[in-house]
């Protein structure tokens, strides 16, 4: 008979034991299930739009330094212009906010590749082809030799997160379809679905080529070995779920005020930490995402929001609560998928290694919104 592992002394020991027994960071409850699946349905639609636009910018707006029409996906019409000016559109600015967070924090193979000699050589070929008829930009490039190179790196991040979100969008929409068919019945089913999607797409190549005057230039060739899971998904979770940026207007960026940690590693402004109450206020980037999701909520979830205490007057805040719950499910899938050994292992040594691994994750989540959602009444 295999001895049960010694009880963890970690402050989040109960959650660790739940994970070890096959559970999730988010407790099981019918309410949690409806919120998570419903909000991921809406998020899947929005992510699809975000990813299409990011890929368009990377491929079709390459080294366009003043891309006035980058949010139009190549379809510029009078109707779309008026919708854009009236702000009756998808808020693509939020996708760029996430992309820049991922680029700034770095990490993973994509970040390392973009500093490699191989990338710099490929980028310079593409830059030379794009600027050969533009003497002014050539002059700027000579004075500031890294300027255009950094713009190419930016294009690669546009593409990297665009390809990552394409997969996640399809995954979330499939989850909703399975829920509608009665195949998704628990939070654990949600986690298993996302985990399977991450694992199945783990080795999907992340590549980027641009066409300049009829000739194709590789920037992230398949030979670079960049893949979906380790080079986009994992750095994205770290940068956007955990670190992100302080929201302007809520804290001072003045160094003397000491309201922002001096060390980048101590940033905790990501999706798992953000206070939902400011959502809806000017200058808070997630407001844009929550506004986009209001348009695609499934009726069963929208009905729950309508019958809440404040009804639809705080719709974005309610969506943010549900969204954070869903992101804890996605985080669970990532944690289990990256575990050093299968979470159900019966080998004591492997159990101990997994335990230390889980405790490391819980250290990161101690100050997150995790404890808020441990009551099924929230």
């Amino acid at each position: 008979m295999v001895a049960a592992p010694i009880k963890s002394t970690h402050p989040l020991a109960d959650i660790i034991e739940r994970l070890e027994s096959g559970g999730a960071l988010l407790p099981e409850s019918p309410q949690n299930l409806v919120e998570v699946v419903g909000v991921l349905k809406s998020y899947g639609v929005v992510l699809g739009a975000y990813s299409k636009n990011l890929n368009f910018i990377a491929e079709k707006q390459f080294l366009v330094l003043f891309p006035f029409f980058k949010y139009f996906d190549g379809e510029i019409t009078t109707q779309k212009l008026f919708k854009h000016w009236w702000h009756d559109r998808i808020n693509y600015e939020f996708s760029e906010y996430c992309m820049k967070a991922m680029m700034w924090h770095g990490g993973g193979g994509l970040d390392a590749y973009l500093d490699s000699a191989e990338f710099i050589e490929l980028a310079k070929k593409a830059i030379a082809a794009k600027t050969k008829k533009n003497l002014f930009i050539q002059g700027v490039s000579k004075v500031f030799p890294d300027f255009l190179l950094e713009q190419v790196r930016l294009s690669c991040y546009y593409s990297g997160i665009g390809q990552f979100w394409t997969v996640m969008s399809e995954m979330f929409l499939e989850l909703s379809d399975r829920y509608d068919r009665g195949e998704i019945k628990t939070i654990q089913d949600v986690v298993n679905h996302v985990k399977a999607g991450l694992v199945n797409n783990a080795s999907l190549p992340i590549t980027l080529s641009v066409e300049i005057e009829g000739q194709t230039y590789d920037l992230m060739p398949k030979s670079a070995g960049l893949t979906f899971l380790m080079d986009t998904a994992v750095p994205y979770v770290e940068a956007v779920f955990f670190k992100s940026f302080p929201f302007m207007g809520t804290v001072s960026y003045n160094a003397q005020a000491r309201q922002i940690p001096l060390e980048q590693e101590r940033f905790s402004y990501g999706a798992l930490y953000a206070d939902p109450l400011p959502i809806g206020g000017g200058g808070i980037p997630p407001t844009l995402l929550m506004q986009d999701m209001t348009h695609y909520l499934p009726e069963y979830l929208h009905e729950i929001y309508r019958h809440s205490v404040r009804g639809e007057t705080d719709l974005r805040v309610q969506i943010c609560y549900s969204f954070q719950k869903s992101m804890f499910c996605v985080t669970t899938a990532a944690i289990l998928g990256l575990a050093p050994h299968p979470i159900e292992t019966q080998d004591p040594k492997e159990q101990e290694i997994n335990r230390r691994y889980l405790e490391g994750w819980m250290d990161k989540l101690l100050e997150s919104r995790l404890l808020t959602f441990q009551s099924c009444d929230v």
Side-chain angles (χ1 to χ4, degrees):
M1 182 175 180
V2 178
I6 299 173
K7 183 175 176 64
S8 174
T9 58
H10 195 277
L12 300 181
D14 291 344
I15 299 176
I16 291 175
E17 290 179 8
R18 187 197 304 156
L19 290 171
E20 290 175 332
S21 63
L25 293 171
L26 186 69
E28 289 283 359
S29 79
Q31 174 79 8
N32 282 345
L33 178 64
V34 170
E35 287 188 52
V36 167
V37 175
V39 84
L40 286 179
K41 166 67 180 294
S42 178
Y43 188 48
V45 176
V46 173
L47 275 193
Y50 287 169
S51 62
K52 178 183 176 183
N53 183 249
L54 289 172
N55 289 325
F56 167 77
I57 292 173
E59 296 169 12
K60 305 301 181 182
Q61 301 284 288
F62 178 69
L63 289 185
V64 177
L65 301 183
F66 300 100
F68 296 110
F69 300 106
K70 64 180 178 179
Y71 296 146
F72 287 75
D73 293 335
E75 302 171 5
I76 304 171
T77 65
T78 302
Q79 182 182 17
K80 289 187 75 172
L81 274 171
F82 278 112
K83 283 191 171 185
H84 187 90
W85 291 333
W86 195 252
H87 214 71
D88 180 19
R89 62 178 177 89
I90 293 288
N91 292 289
Y92 296 113
E93 292 89 342
F94 180 76
S95 61
E96 290 186 297
Y97 166 80
C98 292
M99 178 274 297
K100 289 175 181 177
M102 188 172 168
M103 181 178 183
W104 193 70
H105 287 293
L110 177 57
D111 185 54
Y113 169 73
L114 295 180
D115 285 329
S116 69
E118 177 188 359
F119 166 75
I120 292 173
E121 181 181 352
L122 292 174
K124 285 183 176 179
K125 289 180 181 178
I127 290 170
K130 186 71 175 182
T131 63
K132 68 179 181 180
K133 297 179 181 179
N134 192 324
L135 296 178
F136 174 74
I137 294 299
Q138 288 180 19
V140 170
S141 186
K142 288 180 181 178
V143 177
F144 305 101
D146 291 333
F147 171 65
L148 292 182
L149 187 61
E150 195 67 7
Q151 299 305 306
V152 180
R153 288 192 177 100
L154 192 65
S155 292
C156 291
Y157 267 99
Y158 271 107
S159 180
I161 194 172
Q163 293 175 69
F164 165 66
W165 271 348
T166 297
V167 173
M168 299 307 292
S169 171
E170 295 170 355
M171 188 188 305
F172 294 149
L173 294 177
E174 182 188 359
L175 173 72
S176 176
D177 291 342
R178 292 186 63 199
Y179 175 79
D180 293 341
R181 294 195 298 265
E183 298 174 12
I184 301 294
K185 300 177 180 178
T186 65
I187 290 295
Q188 187 173 349
D189 289 340
V190 173
V191 171
N192 289 340
H193 174 89
V194 176
K195 178 185 172 184
L198 294 175
V199 172
N200 292 341
N201 289 283
S203 58
L204 183 72
I206 300 297
T207 62
L208 173 62
S209 299
V210 294
E211 188 173 308
I212 303 172
E213 295 187 354
Q215 186 171 344
T216 300
Y217 293 84
D218 288 334
L219 296 174
M220 296 190 294
K222 192 173 182 179
S223 60
L226 301 176
T227 58
F228 167 82
L229 184 63
M230 297 309 298
D231 301 315
T232 59
V234 172
Y236 177 86
V237 168
E238 184 69 23
V240 178
F241 282 22
F242 288 91
K243 294 177 181 176
S244 196
F245 299 130
F247 299 148
M248 292 186 179
T250 62
V251 295
S252 173
Y253 273 69
N254 188 316
Q256 283 71 37
R258 297 182 180 274
Q259 293 184 8
I260 295 175
L262 295 177
E263 299 83 14
Q264 184 179 337
E265 290 299 315
R266 292 179 56 205
F267 273 34
S268 57
Y269 303 96
L272 303 182
Y273 296 81
D275 183 350
L277 293 182
I279 299 303
I284 309 297
T287 301
L288 301 175
L289 172 61
M290 304 309 146
Q291 175 62 27
D292 288 340
M293 288 199 285
T294 62
H295 302 300
Y296 305 103
L297 294 173
E299 183 56 30
Y300 60 82
L301 181 57
H302 206 161
E303 189 66 15
I304 290 175
Y305 294 153
R306 289 191 190 101
H307 288 86
S308 65
V309 175
R310 294 183 177 86
E312 295 195 73
T313 58
D314 66 342
L315 184 59
R316 296 178 191 85
V317 175
Q318 294 185 73
I319 293 173
C320 187
Y321 274 104
S322 300
F323 179 70
Q324 284 185 317
K325 288 182 178 182
S326 73
M327 291 302 100
F328 278 113
C329 291
V330 174
T331 303
T332 302
I335 290 173
L336 298 181
L338 295 170
H341 300 287
I343 207 68
E344 65 275 8
T345 182
Q346 296 300 308
D347 185 308
K349 291 184 179 179
E350 293 182 351
Q351 287 179 337
E352 179 59 29
I353 294 172
N354 279 349
R355 171 67 62 79
R356 292 197 297 270
Y357 165 79
L358 293 175
E359 288 177 344
W361 276 96
M362 293 308 109
D363 288 341
K364 290 184 176 184
L365 293 170
L366 266 173
E367 297 179 5
S368 73
R369 301 270 304 162
L370 180 59
L371 289 176
T372 304
F373 297 122
Q374 293 313 298
S375 170
C376 294
D377 297 328
V378 176

